[in-house]
Amino acid sequence: SSGRPAATGALERAMDELLHRAVPAMPAYELREKTPAPAENQCADFVSFYCSLAETTERAELLGRLARGFGVDHGQVAEQSAGVLQLRQQPREAAVLLQAEDRLRYALVPRYRSLFHHISKLDGGVRFLVQLRADLLEAQALKLVEGPHVREMNGVLKNMLSEWFSSGFLKLERVTWHSPCEVLQKISESEAVHPVKTWMDMKRRVGPYRRCYFFSHCSTPGEPLIVLHVALTSEISSSIQAIIVKECPLSETEEQNRITTAIFYSISLTQQGLQGVELGTFLIKRVVKELQKEFPHLGTFSSLSPIPGFTKWLLGLLKSKAKEHGRSELFTDSECKEISEITGGPVHETLKAFLSSSEWVKSERLVRALQAPLMRLCAWYLYGEKHRGYALNPVANFHLQNGAVMWRINWMADVSLRGITGSCSLMVNYRYFLDQTAANSTAYLGSKNIKASEQVLSLVAQFQKNSKL
Amino acid sequence: SSGRPAATGALERAMDELLHRAVPAMPAYELREKTPAPAENQCADFVSFYCSLAETTERAELLGRLARGFGVDHGQVAEQSAGVLQLRQQPREAAVLLQAEDRLRYALVPRYRSLFHHISKLDGGVRFLVQLRADLLEAQALKLVEGPHVREMNGVLKNMLSEWFSSGFLKLERVTWHSPCEVLQKISESEAVHPVKTWMDMKRRVGPYRRCYFFSHCSTPGEPLIVLHVALTSEISSSIQAIIVKECPLSETEEQNRITTAIFYSISLTQQGLQGVELGTFLIKRVVKELQKEFPHLGTFSSLSPIPGFTKWLLGLLKSKAKEHGRSELFTDSECKEISEITGGPVHETLKAFLSSSEWVKSERLVRALQAPLMRLCAWYLYGEKHRGYALNPVANFHLQNGAVMWRINWMADVSLRGITGSCSLMVNYRYFLDQTAANSTAYLGSKNIKASEQVLSLVAQFQKNSKL
Amino acid sequence: SSGRPAATGALERAMDELLHRAVPAMPAYELREKTPAPAENQCADFVSFYCSLAETTERAELLGRLARGFGVDHGQVAEQSAGVLQLRQQPREAAVLLQAEDRLRYALVPRYRSLFHHISKLDGGVRFLVQLRADLLEAQALKLVEGPHVREMNGVLKNMLSEWFSSGFLKLERVTWHSPCEVLQKISESEAVHPVKTWMDMKRRVGPYRRCYFFSHCSTPGEPLIVLHVALTSEISSSIQAIIVKECPLSETEEQNRITTAIFYSISLTQQGLQGVELGTFLIKRVVKELQKEFPHLGTFSSLSPIPGFTKWLLGLLKSKAKEHGRSELFTDSECKEISEITGGPVHETLKAFLSSSEWVKSERLVRALQAPLMRLCAWYLYGEKHRGYALNPVANFHLQNGAVMWRINWMADVSLRGITGSCSLMVNYRYFLDQTAANSTAYLGSKNIKASEQVLSLVAQFQKNSKL
Amino acid sequence: SSGRPAATGALERAMDELLHRAVPAMPAYELREKTPAPAENQCADFVSFYCSLAETTERAELLGRLARGFGVDHGQVAEQSAGVLQLRQQPREAAVLLQAEDRLRYALVPRYRSLFHHISKLDGGVRFLVQLRADLLEAQALKLVEGPHVREMNGVLKNMLSEWFSSGFLKLERVTWHSPCEVLQKISESEAVHPVKTWMDMKRRVGPYRRCYFFSHCSTPGEPLIVLHVALTSEISSSIQAIIVKECPLSETEEQNRITTAIFYSISLTQQGLQGVELGTFLIKRVVKELQKEFPHLGTFSSLSPIPGFTKWLLGLLKSKAKEHGRSELFTDSECKEISEITGGPVHETLKAFLSSSEWVKSERLVRALQAPLMRLCAWYLYGEKHRGYALNPVANFHLQNGAVMWRINWMADVSLRGITGSCSLMVNYRYFLDQTAANSTAYLGSKNIKASEQVLSLVAQFQKNSKL
């Protein structure tokens, strides 16, 4: 940042001044409980300064300075570590060792934690910290700020938020057409999976045969943190069209005995600052309990999930295969032949072009020809592609962590533009067998085993056979 | 505990089995975010086992075993400390040091913390932990369980509770005669300072010219954690009789312009497990704001506080002085003479006997004779008697930490049996000058300076002059 | 009232002035919809004048003057009646007749109705009218005001209140220990049947195995108009002691399968001004529905009712029989003999003395000896004694109108002082067979038939046999 | 109806059967309080039969039969009238006359009133009757049903509804963006004056500098009966465009000191069955009080009202004038000349064509030329055109009855298509001087005097001068 203009230098000086003023000093260990809280306006200064920074880069700069300049005092940590080690060599009574460890523990608390702690006590303070962490995550994603100090600060914040947004303090709220417009507008705007188009569309999603729940924190009731949409059906849905239809009877009353299955068709975090705080898993569990109370005979629980990244992954594959000539490992010979006939060119090249747009779905023949190979490829993408041993696809990873089974891959399941271009119309069900989720979750997290249905395993096997993997 | 009977041995074995089953193992540092939460019933087992222990001693035994057997792995701490120290000597890039410190931090987390953390997520879990800490404090007070491990566990619990009962999550609720009977009964029963006798007595305390507020946690609205009673007056009250009177007009409406002063005449923690969590200070601050909103012209804020321990301290003094013969340092010669005449014996001995009961208030002469010396002694007790440099009297210490001024000592301020026997009828006002409380608090906590009024300082000076201190 | 002192004359003149000012004039028929409402303060004047009258007699005087002086214009009625009759003789088109009838209808509206109508629109106006009618009923009972005009005004008020307190506007509210103290205090104070002694007594009546419901008007939620207490039992209770016991487990939770029977053990109107508005009948019906929803297997519904007036009736009987010498028609010869032996004197005279106090219950022998004859006499009192053909006893008349069956007379059912002196310890169950109440009600109201059980009919038969009726 | 097909005959027979079954018989006068209510299903039958009739004509037929067949027993009325008259000639004591009058009153109650009364006690019964009256009004308007009996039944229903929807039972509710979507959708759909286009449009109308209130009945909170929209401004608005703008800052906070004026810009009845129940007048009064509480310095209250029917009236006038040749009484000679020049033809004919569409506003010259004459004509339309002596224009009549002053006629005040075609862009302010409304209302209703401002009176005078009226 040496090349910055003078004005920026002024801003940076203002940042440093602010931080030295606002971040409370660490009292000596002995005085830690005898130090009055900093004046309210000391922390409020930080909040208003931060909010006055309109630019993402400026906020990132401030957060970087805070993380790097107001962390742990490494000298103190080393000194207390030495103290602990010495006691290890010259044992004394337990109280002495425990106190030495406590001093060390105290030395390991980064100084900015105290700032966050005091901000949390201000009116709207916790909400501010959620926003601050959202900014931090965005800045990291945009590489506006980097390094181990920032990662550490993110971790500290995440732990604090996890304590505050602990499940005991979350309130499950159901959304209906009687909920405040404010809430429905927020939910409508934050719907990330299947965007809401009109208010009637929204009314449908909170109407008969549908449920919409969210978690709020008990200190801010009515403010959605994470939202789950559920469809109540008589079988596991194989397409989103059946759930989000344009024209449908709004006043229809529910027949309880037609409802045997709950389909989780959308889950959206509305507060990005709460990423990693485990709200989703817990929300699904709570909603399952709620639904079982309302419908004692409801027995089948499954998601109908998007497969973000599939088309991108497939195009990458086609591109690399297009270079290597010779036998395709992605398609069988007869598939190659049929596709080439339809597209009028070499299978990899032409498909690459076709799948880049959504035009291909208009050709019935092509749709028919692609079904088998794309389902096979998709099964492999979900089941076989990994990141550090866990499923690469984030939605798959989420449901597998929760203990769901990879249940069924569905063709022509999302024919919206978004569905066609993002995942070639495919969607997948992750099914929750309630008596097995705990075991599945442990197996996946511990041994990285993915539990999948016959259909999925069979598709995976076909892929492997063909590609000689 | 080797000498215990076999049956107790069985209980102890059951305790150890339970703890090994219920307390989650610490995952390796690398897997700490990839380990699923323990099954709900694992933690629920601990809760139900604990609740099944009816005896205080049994609960204390279990908590002692938990504290001693499931704390920090000292070997791990030493190992990670060594790692940090080594990096200090052979500097590497920041990321390496920060990770080593994080490993050390992780090693310093006692294993039982994870148990408490998971219990907090159960329905009613936080409430259970508040009760558990109340038991722990009681067991420590009764010396049923001791030692540094238990003190450490108490500290860990206190920190967790402080996070959960942070001011941002507390809800100020006002109690009126329209509040649920449930709430009024609880508040009535938990009133520790001036016990509530009848329901009409309670109706009076929530009626005109009175306010009663409590904090509840946002997850359990309507459940009082700490309660503050306020009287709205036109001057700083010098006796509790004027506030808690038996017969008074219940339907009287408030005349706003007669209200210039708020007297905090009782503050009671209803959940003992929350001792040390700083609810009281914050409650007073919030109530001050609330009252200022309701009565913009309200300008004077003061407590009318009991002086628990004063009679006991005075009796001890009289006892020790009774042994040393010669000139009394507690009373002037003329006081000695007058008192002796009334009581008919040596001043120290006879007073000791008199003050042990409440009979003395029936003698107008004695009441008159004792006023000057007892007020002087009380001023010294409050101002001069210290524990680790801070006021010995806990109520004084509480208000001084909040930044109040020791304002006025009042004679015949509480003529109930409790008032006479506990503090010789004396009560004290701690006055809050809102623009000075922050400075006073810092001065008291930092430099142990007590801010007191002319009246108090003058009484202290008289005491010192007399006792040649 | 000619003999009254001058000061009263002044008050009376003030009353007349007020009434002429406050009671709106009747607009001509043609202008009845084109006349603006009287100014708010015109009606408010009446309200404040009325409220300023502290004495019952003064209020009664004002109401009498209103009733007599501001009723119907008999000349107008006659004139319009003549108009209608003339059309009867010289038929014209329907519209003419209908309008003549409407003019007549308009002429028949008393002028004070318009005053009441406008008062009802004031804040708290309906509540005022309820109080006014309560005063009117009391004044009539005390014979402070009499005559047909007052009876007519009472009827007009009752009809207006019936319209406003129509069942569609009543809200059923359940009282629990979580209800406002305000409500519980009101209910406690208005409990007329079995007075509430302490707050723990009240807590019991809203605790497990008990229900307490009230109707409020939708415009004043939380204000009880009429209260019903229910005990949930496993059989039809034969004594009130089992329901209102002093010491009982307060925290006991209900076992649904032990609950088969609902006992209505107290119903109290809290607003006397609503007498005759049919709230009681409707409250019982609504509570039955509510209980059936909560306890689908609940099948038995019955009251446990007091028998006010029984002792008084019996004493009257004894008195008249005491005069006629000869064979007793109230007791059999052997009963006479046994009672005389115990009381030591002629049966009628001595019993009259004994039953005037509550001492007799202390003699086990007497209690045994009186059981058979008193139950027989009580059966006759309830079943045989009539007023205009309907049951003389008002509680019996209430339940019989509702369609209940006179089910069981219970000995030693209320051993409180009130129970012994008021009804010789007897209570009665009126049982509700839900599928028969409509038919029973019609039979009772129409043909004055009382439906009674075998037990009651057999007791009645014994009475008749003995008394040769 | 003799010519109807057989099927209709069947329906009519079904109607008659239903009515004979469902409408309760009138009990004899003596038994009127001893007759049990009809079984619930008796009245419910009527409700379900009525609801099963899908066609407006069928419902009208049923209502006609009810009105004609189940009204007053004219024989009874005549008989009782004779009784009253006889007493007039042969005076007896008051009680006898009063009872005779009461019998007559009883005879004058139409039998269908009892049906309505019992329906009102059913769940949702009052709501049903509101709908039934809405149907009745519609059927009368469409001339599907006519005659004095139907008019009488309408009057009876209106009186019953007036009693139930009395102001004491109405709840003023404010609508904000936090209100349920259900409510906002209803209000949006029922907005009759300035239709709501989008949800953002609606959000604006409940946002800063706007208020939206409605009355609900206390038995059905949250259900709008009548809605009032208010704009908070700094002067009396002269155009609707300034209030209902498309793009405006939604998050703007209100500056209290800029708010001096409240403009009622829309009032809509959402339940047509409540026509004539005087909700509007009372809503305006309540809202004025509410606003004065919120803004103590708010001093100016005015409507900004549409002038429905003005264009139609004007076109009628032009048409009739077009026939009579000679000097125009509507325009001055110079106006005639100028307009003719612009329109290119005889003023009456060409204007008739122009004003029939909305094209004329595109001609700046024509807009300028028409301003003076149209404002003059409009002033006359509002002030001078009468129906039975009261203002012909219904909106004017409503505000004048409330005591408002006809304040200002505004040119180009509503340039929406609706505004141009309905009232040539004109709108009018009716201003409420709170201390004069009572007197104005009385003067208008009693003497038919219209209070108008200088501007209006001056325009009226110009019109009169020109037209030689």
Side-chain angles (χ1 to χ4, degrees), chain C residues 79-95:
Chain C
E79 191 178 314
Q80 301 304 335
S81 292
V84 164
L85 275 180
Q86 196 176 356
L87 284 170
R88 188 79 181 161
Q89 284 141 14
Q90 310 167 336
R92 300 262 304 278
E93 62 210 89

Side-chain angles (χ1 to χ4, degrees), chain D residues 75-315:
Chain D
Q76 267 297 315
V77 172
E79 191 179 314
Q80 302 303 334
S81 292
V84 164
L85 275 179
Q86 196 177 353
L87 283 170
R88 188 78 180 161
Q89 284 142 12
Q90 311 167 335
R92 301 263 304 277
E93 63 210 89
V96 176
L97 176 60
L98 291 188
Q99 212 210 32
E101 285 177 349
D102 198 42
R103 280 173 178 276
L104 175 53
R105 201 181 278 124
Y106 183 69
L108 281 161
V109 177
R111 203 172 140 193
Y112 48 69
R113 197 188 188 284
S114 166
L115 175 67
F116 298 153
H117 177 72
H118 290 297
I119 287 176
S120 80
K121 300 195 171 182
L122 298 179
D123 235 21
V126 170
R127 197 178 313 187
F128 170 81
L129 293 171
V130 171
Q131 186 51 51
L132 183 144
R133 181 159 179 258
D135 292 348
L136 184 61
L137 290 171
E138 193 195 357
Q140 286 183 294
L142 297 172
K143 306 215 181 281
L144 296 174
V145 68
E146 286 178 291
H149 295 90
V150 169
R151 279 198 303 277
E152 179 175 81
M153 191 166 83
N154 180 32
V156 166
L157 263 173
K158 198 191 90 173
N159 284 340
M160 295 179 89
L161 293 171
S162 296
E163 232 31 85
W164 296 326
F165 289 86
S166 169
S167 56
F169 304 148
L170 299 179
K171 225 182 117 197
L172 185 70
E173 303 193 36
R174 182 177 163 196
V175 186
T176 72
W177 198 239
H178 290 274
S179 303
C181 269
E182 182 74 22
V183 168
L184 279 145
Q185 192 190 5
K186 266 187 200 162
I187 285 177
S188 163
E189 287 169 1
S190 71
E191 168 57 47
V193 188
H194 306 289
V196 176
K197 279 161 201 154
T198 67
W199 276 89
M200 281 309 102
D201 190 2
M202 193 65 220
K203 189 170 181 177
R204 171 70 186 157
R205 296 190 196 189
V206 298
Y209 295 112
R210 297 291 177 274
R211 291 293 180 276
C212 176
Y213 295 98
F214 66 85
F215 269 146
S216 64
H217 192 270
C218 61
S219 67
T220 51
E223 255 186 50
L225 304 173
I226 183 166
V227 183
L228 178 64
H229 290 271
V230 185
L232 302 172
T233 64
S234 52
E235 51 176 22
I236 296 183
S237 307
S238 61
S239 95
I240 195 67
Q241 288 86 249
I243 294 174
I244 303 174
V245 285
K246 268 164 204 161
E247 291 148 48
C248 62
L250 281 169
S251 63
E252 200 183 335
T253 52
E254 292 172 356
E255 286 175 45
Q256 292 242 355
N257 55 10
R258 289 179 52 195
I259 294 175
T260 62
T261 305
I263 302 296
F264 311 123
Y265 68 94
S266 171
I267 183 162
S268 301
L269 193 65
T270 60
Q271 310 268 348
Q272 295 313 313
L274 295 176
Q275 272 179 33
V277 176
E278 292 220 319
L279 301 172
T281 302
F282 187 62
L283 178 57
I284 287 180
K285 282 186 191 167
R286 277 290 306 276
V287 165
V288 164
K289 279 187 195 167
E290 195 71 15
L291 290 170
Q292 284 181 318
K293 229 188 299 170
E294 193 180 352
F295 304 99
H297 301 300
L298 189 65
T300 307
F301 298 89
S302 173
S303 79
L304 177 62
S305 302
I307 311 171
F310 172 60
T311 305
K312 203 175 157 197
W313 171 84
L314 183 57
L315 289 174

Side-chain angles (χ1 to χ4, degrees), chain B residues 176-382:
Chain B
T176 71
W177 197 240
H178 290 275
S179 302
C181 269
E182 183 75 22
V183 168
L184 279 146
Q185 192 190 7
K186 266 188 199 162
I187 284 177
S188 164
E189 287 169 359
S190 73
E191 168 57 45
V193 188
H194 306 290
V196 176
K197 279 161 202 152
T198 65
W199 274 91
M200 281 309 102
D201 190 4
M202 193 65 222
K203 189 169 181 178
R204 170 71 186 157
R205 297 190 195 188
V206 298
Y209 295 112
R210 296 292 176 273
R211 290 292 180 278
C212 175
Y213 295 99
F214 66 86
F215 268 148
S216 63
H217 190 271
C218 61
S219 67
T220 50
E223 254 187 49
L225 304 173
I226 183 167
V227 182
L228 179 63
H229 290 270
V230 185
L232 302 171
T233 65
S234 53
E235 54 178 17
I236 297 183
S237 307
S238 60
S239 96
I240 194 68
Q241 288 85 249
I243 294 174
I244 304 175
V245 284
K246 270 163 204 162
E247 291 148 48
C248 62
L250 282 168
S251 64
E252 200 183 334
T253 53
E254 294 172 355
E255 286 174 46
Q256 291 243 356
N257 55 10
R258 289 179 52 194
I259 295 175
T260 62
T261 306
I263 303 295
F264 310 124
Y265 68 93
S266 171
I267 183 163
S268 302
L269 193 65
T270 60
Q271 311 269 346
Q272 295 312 313
L274 294 176
Q275 270 177 33
V277 175
E278 293 219 318
L279 301 172
T281 303
F282 187 64
L283 178 56
I284 287 179
K285 281 185 192 168
R286 279 290 307 277
V287 165
V288 165
K289 278 186 197 167
E290 196 70 16
L291 290 171
Q292 285 181 316
K293 228 187 299 167
E294 193 179 352
F295 304 99
H297 301 302
L298 189 65
T300 308
F301 296 90
S302 174
S303 80
L304 177 63
S305 301
I307 312 170
F310 173 58
T311 304
K312 203 177 158 194
W313 171 84
L314 183 58
L315 289 174
L317 216 57
L318 289 172
K319 199 171 163 186
S320 67
K321 294 296 171 192
K323 287 175 196 157
E324 328 161 4
H325 294 286
R327 186 187 157 282
S328 169
E329 286 169 347
L330 305 178
F331 304 96
T332 65
D333 292 346
S334 65
E335 284 166 1
C336 276
K337 192 164 157 246
E338 191 182 359
I339 295 170
S340 289
E341 275 177 29
I342 303 171
T343 60
V347 63
H348 293 154
E349 284 82 353
T350 53
L351 263 192
K352 200 152 63 75
F354 269 77
L355 297 181
S356 296
S357 93
S358 65
E359 292 300 297
W360 63 273
V361 283
K362 294 182 183 160
S363 155
E364 266 185 53
R365 243 180 107 197
L366 196 51
V367 164
R368 224 169 19 240
L370 287 175
Q371 176 168 6
L374 259 55
M375 284 186 73
R376 201 168 64 216
L377 284 156
C378 183
W380 177 255
Y381 167 69
L382 291 173

Side-chain angles (χ1 to χ4, degrees), chain C residues 23-41:
Chain C
V23 185
M26 291 294 274
Y29 178 76
E30 288 74 16
L31 297 176
R32 70 200 185 287
E33 302 211 319
K34 284 295 179 190
T35 305
E40 265 194 26
N41 60 345

